[in-house]
Amino acid sequence: MSFLLEKLTITKNDFIIVIGVIDIQLFNLMKASFLNPEKLSAARSLNKKKIILYLIVLSFITAVPTWIQGNKLIADFKRDGQKIAEQLPSFKIEDDQLVTEEGTKSFIYQTDSIIFTFDPTGEQTPEDVKKNTIGTTIGLALLKDGLYLSAPGYPGDISYSKMNGLDNTFFADLFLGMERVSSVIFILSFILIWLVNLLIVVIYNLLYTVFANLVSTFSRRSLRFSDNWKIVLFASTLPTVFFAVLNSFQLTPYLQLEATLAITIYFYYLAIKKIPKEKIIKK
């Protein structure tokens, strides 16, 4: 098996990462992280390439829930955008105001992902819209004197002063534009989420390793920071995968980080128990 992997690596350099994923040593350690955490001390012998590869695999797993939720959100926006576009009455923006035909009524369209307010009569204020958007991902309001947007990182009122001449066709096309989101966007979004999660996994692993260093010091095991880092990386696999599965089904338990830390440090302790303690030299 090892010979076959080595041969494939030489003859298929373009697929070296895929081949590395099925590395026997990494597979055994990953299995031990679920079934036999006391064997995880063997991770100290791994080289940097294998550690990086495992980081990539673990960050891939943690990226899946965010990607699933992001795709669901985009699907919701596409559906909601179409319905909003269908409900928009005829209007245009003139003299910095929303102008409609006589008798046009206000309406509010609300789902779990978006709340859209159309109010040419001046019944709604930005303060009213703010209250309505609590608990909603995106809030958008076409008010009589301005546009109000409530989105992560982009809250606030937007004047119509630079929108004069726009009409319902423009905004309908804007909402329907969500239908044209291509598969390339989904792929790029996953890569971006994957890279962000890779950074998060590294940061969390540093945090766990700090606590692991304290455990190794108090238990009188002479381990370098790099050794602890490797053991901790595998010790964190079970809680990381467990919570990733829960998050994929939109289940987000409280104290996930604290629970992951506790389980990781416990598995780490099981892994180093058989490592000989430092001898205390009596003076």
Side-chain angles (χ1 to χ4, degrees), residues 7-279:
K7 185 174 180 180
L8 284 172
T9 302
I10 293 172
T11 57
K12 301 288 184 180
N13 289 327
D14 292 338
F15 299 100
I16 189 169
I17 294 179
V18 176
I19 293 167
V21 170
I22 59 175
D23 180 274
I24 298 302
Q25 190 178 15
L26 285 182
F27 176 78
N28 287 337
L29 281 168
M30 188 172 187
K31 185 171 69 173
S33 69
F34 289 91
L35 304 173
N36 304 104
E38 63 275 4
K39 296 182 179 181
L40 295 181
S41 59
R44 292 177 295 168
S45 64
L46 294 177
N47 58 36
K48 290 182 180 179
K49 289 183 180 180
K50 291 184 178 181
I51 290 297
I52 292 172
L53 177 61
Y54 197 73
L55 277 170
I56 292 173
V57 171
L58 207 57
S59 62
F60 180 93
I61 294 171
T62 60
V64 171
T66 306
W67 189 66
I68 290 175
Q69 293 173 20
N71 283 348
K72 182 180 181 302
L73 192 61
I74 291 174
D76 289 344
F77 284 159
K78 290 169 70 174
R79 181 196 64 233
D80 294 337
Q82 184 173 6
K83 290 183 178 179
I84 292 172
E86 292 171 355
Q87 294 184 38
L88 278 178
S90 177
F91 71 88
K92 56 185 174 181
I93 298 174
E94 288 183 343
D95 300 324
D96 302 345
Q97 286 195 331
L98 186 65
V99 180
T100 62
E101 296 176 357
E102 188 175 350
T104 301
K105 296 181 179 179
S106 302
F107 70 88
I108 296 177
Y109 175 88
Q110 183 172 7
T111 65
D112 293 335
S113 60
I114 189 171
I115 178 169
F116 174 75
T117 302
F118 182 80
D119 179 37
T121 61
E123 297 174 7
Q124 295 283 319
T125 66
E127 288 69 27
D128 295 327
V129 177
K130 287 177 186 178
K131 292 177 183 178
N132 293 336
T133 54
I134 294 175
T136 304
T137 305
I138 300 291
L140 179 62
L142 288 173
L143 305 179
K144 184 173 182 61
D145 299 316
L147 183 148
Y148 179 81
L149 175 65
S150 176
Y154 298 96
D157 304 305
I158 303 173
S159 172
Y160 284 145
S161 60
K162 295 183 179 179
M163 300 184 190
N164 287 313
L166 298 182
D167 58 14
N168 56 291
T169 304
F170 170 82
F171 287 95
D173 289 343
L174 191 63
F175 286 118
L176 291 173
M178 290 299 297
E179 285 288 338
R180 295 188 286 272
V181 176
S182 67
S183 58
V184 175
I185 299 298
F186 288 103
I187 296 172
L188 291 177
S189 66
F190 183 79
I191 293 173
L192 179 60
I193 292 169
W194 189 359
L195 292 174
V196 171
N197 275 269
L198 177 59
L199 179 61
I200 291 173
V201 169
V202 170
I203 292 173
Y204 280 176
N205 207 64
L206 283 170
L207 172 65
Y208 304 151
T209 305
V210 170
F211 284 91
N213 276 345
L214 295 175
V215 172
S216 65
T217 299
F218 284 117
S219 62
R220 302 204 315 272
R221 266 82 179 186
S222 181
L223 293 168
R224 298 174 300 175
F225 187 91
S226 58
D227 290 335
N228 284 333
W229 162 274
K230 295 175 183 178
I231 298 172
V232 162
L233 180 62
F234 286 90
S236 67
T237 299
L238 175 60
T240 298
V241 172
F242 175 74
F243 285 121
V245 172
L246 289 184
N247 296 162
S248 296
F249 292 96
Q250 296 187 330
L251 299 174
T252 310
Y254 291 109
L255 305 176
Q256 281 191 191
L257 177 60
E258 292 79 359
T260 302
L261 172 61
I263 296 170
T264 298
I265 296 305
Y266 175 66
F267 280 9
Y268 167 80
Y269 176 71
L270 294 179
I272 67 170
K273 276 181 66 175
K274 294 183 179 181
I275 297 176
K277 295 183 179 181
E278 291 180 316
K279 294 182 179 180

